[in-house]
PDB file of all heavy atoms in Angstrom:
ATOM      1  N   VAL A  78     -14.355  55.993 -54.484  1.00 97.00           N
ATOM      2  CA  VAL A  78     -14.904  54.689 -54.097  1.00 97.00           C
ATOM      3  C   VAL A  78     -13.811  53.821 -53.469  1.00 97.00           C
ATOM      4  O   VAL A  78     -14.024  53.164 -52.439  1.00 97.00           O
ATOM      5  CB  VAL A  78     -15.547  53.984 -55.307  1.00 97.00           C
ATOM      6  CG1 VAL A  78     -15.888  52.535 -54.973  1.00 97.00           C
ATOM      7  CG2 VAL A  78     -16.796  54.724 -55.756  1.00 97.00           C
ATOM      8  N   ASN A  79     -12.627  53.831 -54.058  1.00 96.00           N
ATOM      9  CA  ASN A  79     -11.513  53.052 -53.505  1.00 96.00           C
ATOM     10  C   ASN A  79     -11.170  53.503 -52.093  1.00 96.00           C
ATOM     11  O   ASN A  79     -10.893  52.677 -51.212  1.00 96.00           O
ATOM     12  CB  ASN A  79     -10.279  53.179 -54.406  1.00 96.00           C
ATOM     13  CG  ASN A  79     -10.428  52.413 -55.702  1.00 96.00           C
ATOM     14  OD1 ASN A  79     -11.198  51.459 -55.781  1.00 96.00           O
ATOM     15  ND2 ASN A  79      -9.701  52.825 -56.731  1.00 96.00           N
ATOM     16  N   ARG A  80     -11.184  54.816 -51.864  1.00 95.00           N
ATOM     17  CA  ARG A  80     -10.892  55.338 -50.518  1.00 95.00           C
ATOM     18  C   ARG A  80     -11.955  54.905 -49.522  1.00 95.00           C
ATOM     19  O   ARG A  80     -11.658  54.475 -48.407  1.00 95.00           O
ATOM     20  CB  ARG A  80     -10.812  56.871 -50.537  1.00 95.00           C
ATOM     21  CG  ARG A  80      -9.571  57.433 -51.196  1.00 95.00           C
ATOM     22  CD  ARG A  80      -9.637  58.944 -51.256  1.00 95.00           C
ATOM     23  NE  ARG A  80      -9.414  59.556 -49.949  1.00 95.00           N
ATOM     24  CZ  ARG A  80      -8.305  60.178 -49.591  1.00 95.00           C
ATOM     25  NH1 ARG A  80      -7.285  60.267 -50.439  1.00 95.00           N
ATOM     26  NH2 ARG A  80      -8.187  60.723 -48.400  1.00 95.00           N
ATOM     27  N   LEU A  81     -13.208  55.026 -49.939  1.00 96.00           N
ATOM     28  CA  LEU A  81     -14.309  54.724 -49.022  1.00 96.00           C
ATOM     29  C   LEU A  81     -14.392  53.235 -48.697  1.00 96.00           C
ATOM     30  O   LEU A  81     -14.839  52.860 -47.608  1.00 96.00           O
ATOM     31  CB  LEU A  81     -15.632  55.205 -49.617  1.00 96.00           C
ATOM     32  CG  LEU A  81     -15.773  56.729 -49.778  1.00 96.00           C
ATOM     33  CD1 LEU A  81     -17.104  57.069 -50.441  1.00 96.00           C
ATOM     34  CD2 LEU A  81     -15.643  57.442 -48.437  1.00 96.00           C
ATOM     35  N   GLN A  82     -13.985  52.384 -49.633  1.00 96.00           N
ATOM     36  CA  GLN A  82     -14.006  50.943 -49.351  1.00 96.00           C
ATOM     37  C   GLN A  82     -13.130  50.590 -48.152  1.00 96.00           C
ATOM     38  O   GLN A  82     -13.415  49.633 -47.432  1.00 96.00           O
ATOM     39  CB  GLN A  82     -13.537  50.173 -50.591  1.00 96.00           C
ATOM     40  CG  GLN A  82     -14.583  50.090 -51.683  1.00 96.00           C
ATOM     41  CD  GLN A  82     -14.045  49.510 -52.966  1.00 96.00           C
ATOM     42  OE1 GLN A  82     -12.851  49.632 -53.277  1.00 96.00           O
ATOM     43  NE2 GLN A  82     -14.915  48.879 -53.754  1.00 96.00           N
ATOM     44  N   ASP A  83     -12.089  51.370 -47.930  1.00 94.00           N
ATOM     45  CA  ASP A  83     -11.196  51.129 -46.785  1.00 94.00           C
ATOM     46  C   ASP A  83     -11.675  51.827 -45.521  1.00 94.00           C
ATOM     47  O   ASP A  83     -11.050  51.693 -44.472  1.00 94.00           O
ATOM     48  CB  ASP A  83      -9.774  51.622 -47.115  1.00 94.00           C
ATOM     49  CG  ASP A  83      -9.122  50.785 -48.204  1.00 94.00           C
ATOM     50  OD1 ASP A  83      -9.474  49.600 -48.312  1.00 94.00           O
ATOM     51  OD2 ASP A  83      -8.284  51.329 -48.940  1.00 94.00           O
ATOM     52  N   LYS A  84     -12.772  52.595 -45.634  1.00 95.00           N
ATOM     53  CA  LYS A  84     -13.215  53.394 -44.491  1.00 95.00           C
ATOM     54  C   LYS A  84     -14.637  53.064 -44.062  1.00 95.00           C
ATOM     55  O   LYS A  84     -15.321  53.881 -43.465  1.00 95.00           O
ATOM     56  CB  LYS A  84     -13.066  54.885 -44.822  1.00 95.00           C
ATOM     57  CG  LYS A  84     -11.604  55.258 -45.096  1.00 95.00           C
ATOM     58  CD  LYS A  84     -11.346  56.733 -45.124  1.00 95.00           C
ATOM     59  CE  LYS A  84      -9.837  56.994 -45.311  1.00 95.00           C
ATOM     60  NZ  LYS A  84      -9.493  58.416 -45.255  1.00 95.00           N
ATOM     61  N   VAL A  85     -15.058  51.837 -44.353  1.00 96.00           N
ATOM     62  CA  VAL A  85     -16.339  51.363 -43.846  1.00 96.00           C
ATOM     63  C   VAL A  85     -16.221  51.163 -42.336  1.00 96.00           C
ATOM     64  O   VAL A  85     -15.194  50.682 -41.841  1.00 96.00           O
ATOM     65  CB  VAL A  85     -16.749  50.049 -44.549  1.00 96.00           C
ATOM     66  CG1 VAL A  85     -17.998  49.445 -43.911  1.00 96.00           C
ATOM     67  CG2 VAL A  85     -16.969  50.298 -46.031  1.00 96.00           C
ATOM     68  N   SER A  86     -17.232  51.548 -41.595  1.00 95.00           N
ATOM     69  CA  SER A  86     -17.199  51.455 -40.131  1.00 95.00           C
ATOM     70  C   SER A  86     -16.922  50.030 -39.680  1.00 95.00           C
ATOM     71  O   SER A  86     -17.427  49.072 -40.274  1.00 95.00           O
ATOM     72  CB  SER A  86     -18.529  51.939 -39.544  1.00 95.00           C
ATOM     73  OG  SER A  86     -18.742  53.292 -39.860  1.00 95.00           O
ATOM     74  N   GLU A  87     -16.128  49.912 -38.618  1.00 89.00           N
ATOM     75  CA  GLU A  87     -15.711  48.586 -38.148  1.00 89.00           C
ATOM     76  C   GLU A  87     -16.900  47.710 -37.783  1.00 89.00           C
ATOM     77  O   GLU A  87     -16.937  46.517 -38.101  1.00 89.00           O
ATOM     78  CB  GLU A  87     -14.771  48.728 -36.942  1.00 89.00           C
ATOM     79  CG  GLU A  87     -13.469  49.450 -37.229  1.00 89.00           C
ATOM     80  CD  GLU A  87     -12.621  48.754 -38.269  1.00 89.00           C
ATOM     81  OE1 GLU A  87     -12.719  47.510 -38.378  1.00 89.00           O
ATOM     82  OE2 GLU A  87     -11.870  49.448 -38.973  1.00 89.00           O
ATOM     83  N   SER A  88     -17.887  48.278 -37.105  1.00 90.00           N
ATOM     84  CA  SER A  88     -19.022  47.447 -36.685  1.00 90.00           C
ATOM     85  C   SER A  88     -19.893  47.055 -37.877  1.00 90.00           C
ATOM     86  O   SER A  88     -20.564  46.022 -37.839  1.00 90.00           O
ATOM     87  CB  SER A  88     -19.861  48.169 -35.617  1.00 90.00           C
ATOM     88  OG  SER A  88     -20.457  49.339 -36.138  1.00 90.00           O
ATOM     89  N   VAL A  89     -19.882  47.858 -38.937  1.00 94.00           N
ATOM     90  CA  VAL A  89     -20.585  47.477 -40.165  1.00 94.00           C
ATOM     91  C   VAL A  89     -19.870  46.294 -40.823  1.00 94.00           C
ATOM     92  O   VAL A  89     -20.501  45.327 -41.261  1.00 94.00           O
ATOM     93  CB  VAL A  89     -20.672  48.673 -41.133  1.00 94.00           C
ATOM     94  CG1 VAL A  89     -21.207  48.230 -42.495  1.00 94.00           C
ATOM     95  CG2 VAL A  89     -21.569  49.767 -40.549  1.00 94.00           C
ATOM     96  N   ARG A  90     -18.543  46.377 -40.900  1.00 92.00           N
ATOM     97  CA  ARG A  90     -17.775  45.260 -41.460  1.00 92.00           C
ATOM     98  C   ARG A  90     -18.081  43.960 -40.721  1.00 92.00           C
ATOM     99  O   ARG A  90     -18.254  42.905 -41.327  1.00 92.00           O
ATOM    100  CB  ARG A  90     -16.279  45.547 -41.355  1.00 92.00           C
ATOM    101  CG  ARG A  90     -15.760  46.640 -42.272  1.00 92.00           C
ATOM    102  CD  ARG A  90     -14.252  46.793 -42.059  1.00 92.00           C
ATOM    103  NE  ARG A  90     -13.714  47.911 -42.791  1.00 92.00           N
ATOM    104  CZ  ARG A  90     -13.359  47.881 -44.075  1.00 92.00           C
ATOM    105  NH1 ARG A  90     -13.499  46.765 -44.754  1.00 92.00           N
ATOM    106  NH2 ARG A  90     -12.877  48.952 -44.672  1.00 92.00           N
ATOM    107  N   ARG A  91     -18.114  44.055 -39.390  1.00 87.00           N
ATOM    108  CA  ARG A  91     -18.330  42.856 -38.584  1.00 87.00           C
ATOM    109  C   ARG A  91     -19.694  42.231 -38.846  1.00 87.00           C
ATOM    110  O   ARG A  91     -19.871  41.024 -38.708  1.00 87.00           O
ATOM    111  CB  ARG A  91     -18.200  43.184 -37.093  1.00 87.00           C
ATOM    112  CG  ARG A  91     -16.805  43.376 -36.597  1.00 87.00           C
ATOM    113  CD  ARG A  91     -16.756  43.336 -35.085  1.00 87.00           C
ATOM    114  NE  ARG A  91     -17.467  44.439 -34.463  1.00 87.00           N
ATOM    115  CZ  ARG A  91     -16.930  45.614 -34.156  1.00 87.00           C
ATOM    116  NH1 ARG A  91     -15.657  45.848 -34.427  1.00 87.00           N
ATOM    117  NH2 ARG A  91     -17.636  46.556 -33.591  1.00 87.00           N
TER     118      ARG A  91
END
Side-chain angles (χ1 to χ4, degrees):
V78 170
N79 288 336
R80 287 176 74 106
L81 294 177
Q82 284 172 331
D83 293 332
K84 298 193 176 184
V85 173
S86 298
E87 297 299 331
S88 64
V89 171
R90 290 181 186 277
R91 284 195 295 270

